[in-house]
Amino acid sequence: MSEENKDLGDMADDAMENAKEGAENLGDKASDALDSAKETASELGEKASEKFEDAKEATKEFAEDAKEAASDFADEAKKTANEFTENAKEAFSGAGGENKKMLAGILAIILGSLGVHKFILGYQKEGFILLGASIVGYITLCFVVGSFILMATGIVGLIEGIIYLTKSDEEFYNTYQVGKKPWF
């Protein structure tokens, strides 16, 4: 048995040496794989960092473009609003007389019973008289008298609208805007 023990011991020693060599080979392979993984991770990290910087730069450019576009839009909106305001002022101003003549005449025919044309020409008292009479007419409409009041205010508006539109620009301006003639 001693020889058999010796053979078994040699075999165990050989197996141990083979296991050590296998472990060293596996350790070397694992070390190589780890080094390779580190290199790959480093390369990927560098690429990701470059992509992140590119994305960061693109975001900054987009933000600057958006700010510029918003500023341009705001400037254009202000310009348009100013033009609209000036055109509206011209339409309601009495400098030429024609704009108020057309506006007052058309409003007198359409909404004459409410006195809107009087307010356009600057006759507040007369406008409130027509508006008040119309309100009283609507309130008393269930009675017969309300319909007569509404008919009277409508006829006043219709007549004034026709008079406004048939006068020349100069005559309208002198009579109703300079001379302040309140009725007919």
Side-chain angles (χ1 to χ4, degrees), residues 35-178:
D35 290 341
S36 175
K38 284 181 181 177
E39 286 178 28
T40 303
S42 177
E43 290 172 5
L44 288 175
E46 288 174 9
K47 287 180 181 177
S49 178
E50 290 173 8
K51 295 291 182 183
F52 178 74
E53 289 299 320
D54 290 345
K56 192 174 170 183
E57 194 172 311
T59 302
K60 283 182 183 177
E61 290 176 9
F62 178 76
E64 289 173 7
D65 290 345
K67 283 181 183 177
E68 185 177 323
S71 176
D72 291 346
F73 178 77
D75 291 343
E76 190 65 30
K78 285 179 186 176
K79 181 181 173 186
T80 303
N82 288 338
E83 288 175 4
F84 178 77
T85 302
E86 288 189 20
N87 288 339
K89 284 180 183 177
E90 287 177 19
F92 290 110
S93 71
E98 182 180 355
N99 287 335
K100 276 198 175 180
K101 172 188 161 187
M102 291 296 289
L103 183 64
I106 292 171
L107 286 175
I109 292 172
I110 296 172
L111 299 172
S113 65
L114 299 176
V116 175
H117 61 289
K118 295 292 187 181
F119 291 112
I120 294 294
L121 292 174
Y123 305 133
Q124 279 23 351
K125 183 174 81 173
E126 291 80 7
F128 282 119
I129 290 171
L130 280 175
L131 183 61
S134 293
I135 291 172
V136 168
Y138 282 115
I139 291 172
T140 60
L141 192 59
C142 59
F143 306 112
V144 178
V145 73
S147 61
F148 289 115
I149 294 172
L150 287 176
M151 201 178 337
T153 57
I155 291 172
V156 167
L158 179 66
I159 292 171
E160 285 187 337
I162 292 171
I163 291 172
Y164 293 167
L165 293 175
T166 56
K167 287 191 178 283
S168 68
D169 292 344
E170 185 179 327
E171 190 178 7
F172 175 84
Y173 181 73
N174 289 331
T175 305
Y176 295 105
Q177 290 182 275
V178 175

